[in-house]
Amino acid sequence: MPTVLGQNQYGKAETRVVRVTRDGPVHHIRDLNVSIALSGAMDDVHLSGSNARVLPTDTTKNTVFAFAKEYGVASPEGFAARLAHHFVTGQEAIGTARVRVEEYAWDRIPTPGPAGHSFVRSGRETRTAQVTFDGAGGRWQVLSGLKGLTVMNTTDSEFHGYVKDRYTTLPETRDRILATEVNACWRHAWDGGGEEDKDEWDEAFERTRGHLLGAFAETYSFSLQQTLYAMGSRVIEQTPGIDEIRLSLPNKHHFLADLAPFGLANDNEVYYTADRPYGLIEATVLREGATAAVPVDLTNLP
Ligand SMILES: O=c1[nH]c(=O)c2[nH]c(=O)[nH]c2[nH]1
């Protein structure tokens, strides 16, 4: 049976790079996990075994380290954009480069003297960025995001009025804990403009994170779906440069512990949590008129 080569891409995945910038005794760190995926005129390597157009994945890994030294890491998005631009403009065979970055956050450890060089990994939250540069069209796509941002409201959450069939056992509640782990990915309207180093990426990230947290905390919730929409629309409404955000919110259920066997009342004070199964609430929120482009399945993003 004849076969044909379909979509293909290659590059080094998960290059871990830690960049230390020394400002006298005060050090700064950026801790990244970088994955490169290159595509273009790569038929030969698959079909004939000729490597004449193949920039080794090893080289793409080396480039990550070299760029960290030469240009520093102003932001995950800026670093990814610089790499994507480099591969597409530097290699004739490469038409498109997609660079994914995970960033792990570190806080300073307070010390009696001036805080300088001691850090502690903060939380389980991971910042994400994905930059794709299509050389033929000169088109950029910049996605920013986060995963593992765990939040909880201990009241202002109800869930009732839902469909009941013969298998429904869930009791209605007028006051429950609402907890989730925010996984989000948002798309910037950015056309490149040679601003790979644009350091506003960090500020934009913090603002968006703040909107997500603010909307979660301030929404009186009748479902996690409603909270999700409030979070997404707050980001879109407050940020002219973001037209689309996708949210994936596992419902981290908290159940009231049964204290009746001990003769104790449980007035919404003692809960147990179960990590699985969990409700998984997912949706994209768009500016009116915008076209959806953020992948529906965020689990495969960095
Ligand atoms: O916020 C919720 N949305 C649901 O769709 C749902 N389903 C469920 O069992 N609990 C909840 N909670």
Side-chain angles (χ1 to χ4, degrees):
M1 288 289 260
T3 56
V4 291
L5 177 66
Q7 194 279 343
N8 60 90
Q9 58 192 26
Y10 82 106
K12 198 68 95 191
E14 303 210 44
T15 297
R16 293 281 284 106
V17 56
V18 178
R19 174 63 154 103
V20 180
T21 307
R22 298 192 160 81
D23 184 8
V26 179
H27 297 182
H28 306 269
I29 52 176
R30 305 281 327 219
D31 181 357
L32 308 182
N33 188 19
V34 182
S35 295
I36 311 277
L38 308 176
S39 49
M42 291 295 157
D43 284 10
D44 282 357
V45 61
H46 295 91
L47 305 183
S48 77
S50 165
N51 294 329
R53 291 168 177 270
V54 178
L55 183 72
T57 68
D58 190 64
T59 308
T60 67
K61 175 257 296 173
N62 291 343
T63 311
V64 170
F65 291 127
F67 275 29
K69 161 68 183 170
E70 289 187 275
Y71 304 109
V73 178
S75 66
E77 291 87 351
F79 190 64
R82 186 179 283 285
L83 284 162
H85 190 257
H86 167 82
F87 292 121
V88 169
T89 56
Q91 296 295 319
E92 218 181 296
I94 296 170
T96 302
R98 188 199 71 199
V99 181
R100 289 178 169 174
V101 179
E102 281 189 347
E103 181 174 35
Y104 312 115
W106 293 81
D107 291 331
R108 289 187 186 282
I109 299 177
T111 47
H117 60 261
S118 300
F119 301 87
V120 55
R121 258 296 289 279
S122 53
R124 289 171 44 235
E125 179 188 348
T126 302
R127 175 172 167 182
T128 61
Q130 173 177 295
V131 177
T132 307
F133 180 51
D134 166 9
R139 278 188 303 272
W140 292 87
Q141 186 196 61
V142 180
L143 306 179
S144 299
L146 52 79
K147 52 189 186 181
L149 175 65
T150 307
V151 291
M152 176 190 288
N153 284 326
T154 50
T155 189
D156 286 359
S157 169
E158 306 187 14
F159 190 64
H160 48 80
Y162 41 79
V163 173
K164 290 160 196 94
D165 70 7
R166 60 187 287 229
Y167 301 117
T168 304
T169 57
L170 184 76
E172 300 206 330
T173 173
R174 308 271 157 177
D175 191 2
R176 67 172 183 174
I177 283 182
L178 185 67
T180 187
E181 182 191 292
V182 183
N183 302 294
C185 182
W186 53 93
R187 182 168 53 81
H188 300 271
W190 188 61
D191 63 357
E195 297 178 83
E196 285 96 342
D197 279 333
K198 181 168 156 326
D199 54 7
E200 298 98 77
W201 291 121
D202 278 1
E203 286 162 33
F205 175 82
E206 288 304 332
R207 268 199 310 275
T208 306
R209 184 178 181 279
H211 292 317
L212 290 169
L213 292 177
F216 178 79
E218 291 158 24
T219 300
Y220 191 104
S221 176
F222 291 94
S223 66
L224 187 52
Q225 287 89 329
Q226 184 200 14
T227 296
L228 180 154
Y229 191 75
M231 294 167 76
S233 52
R234 168 104 45 128
V235 169
I236 303 288
E237 280 160 16
Q238 298 295 321
T239 323
I242 298 176
D243 287 346
E244 178 185 6
I245 179 166
R246 175 127 187 119
L247 288 148
S248 175
L249 303 181
N251 194 348
K252 297 176 89 71
H253 302 292
H254 287 63
F255 302 105
L256 280 176
D258 181 9
L259 303 180
F262 324 121
L264 298 170
N266 190 354
D267 189 17
N268 283 358
E269 292 169 297
V270 182
Y271 298 83
Y272 69 95
T273 67
D275 68 344
R276 66 191 74 171
Y278 50 89
L280 185 59
I281 310 301
E282 303 182 293
T284 300
V285 183
L286 296 150
R287 189 176 303 287
E288 200 174 2
T291 306
V294 173
V296 162
D297 185 3
L298 297 187
T299 53
N300 288 328
L301 283 185

